[in-house]
Every structure is written in structure tokens, then in C-alpha cells.
Amino acid sequence: MGIEWSDVDLSTGKIHIRREIAKNGEPRDTFISSEALEVLLQWQAYHPLYAEKADAYTIPDEYIRDTNRVFPLSYNGVRDKYGRVLEKCGLDEKDPTTGWLVLRLHVMRKYFRTRLPQGGASIDVVESLMGHSGYLSDSYVRMTDEEVEAAYRAAESVLWVFKTKPINEGELRQLEQENRELRGELAGIQRQITMMNAMQADVGATPEALQRLVDERIKELMGKAGGA
């Protein structure tokens, strides 16, 4: 909660985690998704107004009087507000054993840890962004900051809540090809149905038509047998 506006690059969504606020005491850079960045920019515009009204609408021990902080709230303040939001949404289920919220704040880190690899990011990239330096393999040492960011950006769409991942040109061409193939198969099926309907009409009109079909089929089979 100690992130300040000076720690955030609002042009790229890059955030510097200072040593004094890092969980493991080691500074690092991490990123937020393009979707989260849009929300953060909206919050930045509202931030001064929030600071003015905080005294009237916020419990004193929740609010931290520091306009440099991105979120001028104590951890307890964030936790309490988060709990009230869950309650209003009907998502405030608690673990019967521990009494803790099932969807407590730490679940967000678990979500990040689970989802980002599903988008293609390596475990090393994910662990690095989370500040878990002790889990990194030797291969991570060879990755540059630019490569880490590129890996995150390529996978970040799996973290989006409201946005959907755009289809790239290669995927679009593949879908178009599959669509053409399906249309061709459908046209073939429709021709077969039309032919069968015509044959049924002929058979229904004259018994001789049925005999002709049988004779033609026999000749066809005999021709194949003779050719073999």
C-alpha cells in the first residue's frame, strides 16, 4: 500500500517496488495490465477530490494523509473496505475452519500466480514479478528487463476482467480458412440432400425408377469388382 505516484510510470504501466515497501526487502520492477492502467488513470484524475473528501467519508484510522501515495489508505482500511464490497456483492463467504474470508485479499496474488502462466508466461517471469526471487532458475538470470516485460505483455490478457483479447492477423486468417472449409463441406452436404430428395421423388413416382437405381448400383459394383 506504500506505492507513490513517483513509483508509477503511467505511460507504460511499469511500477517500481521500493526496498522499504517490498515484502522481501528487495527492490524490483513489476507491471500492471493495460486494463488496470486505464482504471488507474481514472483514479489519478479523481485522487485529489478523494483526498479532500476523505475526512468526511473515511474512518480516521483508515485514511493516511499523504497525497503522494497512490492509495492513501492503511492496510486495515483497504481490508475493511474490501470486506464491505464483498458483503454487498454476496461474496463474503467465510472458511468454516479459520473464519477468514474465502476471497480474501491474498487471493489476488494467487490469481495472478495461477493465471499468468496460462497466458504463456514462464514460471520464472511470474515469480520475479511477484518478488519470489528464491524460486528463480538460472535461466532467468539471462533475461533482460525488456524480455521480462515483453513476456508479461504477451500474457497479460488472461488477467483482464472486462476487456477481451483482440484476434491477431494470423488467428484471423486461420479462422477465415476454417470458415471456408466448413462452408464447402456444408455445400457438399446440401447437394447430397438435394440429390437424395430427387431420387426419392423418382422412386415414389414410378416403380421402374427404383429398378433403374438398383440396376445402376449393381453395374457400378460389378465394374469395380472387374477392375480389381
Side-chain angles (χ1 to χ4, degrees), residues 9 18 32 37 49 76 82 93-94 117 131-132 151 166 187:
D9 185 344
R18 289 172 280 114
I32 57 175
L37 181 58
L49 182 60
N76 287 338
Y82 177 71
E93 178 185 357
K94 292 186 177 181
H132 296 168

Side-chain angles (χ1 to χ4, degrees), residues 129-195:
L129 294 172
M130 296 183 69
H132 296 168
S133 58
Y135 297 93
L136 302 179
S137 65
D138 293 339
S139 62
Y140 175 78
V141 178
R142 296 190 292 271
M143 295 186 70
T144 65
D145 293 342
E146 291 75 16
E147 289 172 333
V148 173
E149 180 175 6
Y152 171 79
R153 295 302 176 196
E156 71 160 64
S157 61
V158 298
L159 302 174
W160 295 347
V161 178
F162 300 107
K163 293 175 62 176
T164 55
K165 182 180 179 181
I167 299 177
N168 62 41
E169 187 174 345
E171 292 174 333
L172 181 59
R173 284 199 297 268
Q174 181 179 353
L175 288 174
E176 290 174 343
Q177 177 62 28
E178 292 175 355
N179 187 44
R180 285 193 294 269
E181 292 174 357
L182 289 173
R183 286 178 178 274
E185 293 177 6
L186 178 59
I189 293 173
Q190 289 175 333
R191 286 194 296 271
Q192 293 179 18
I193 292 175
T194 300
M195 185 181 301

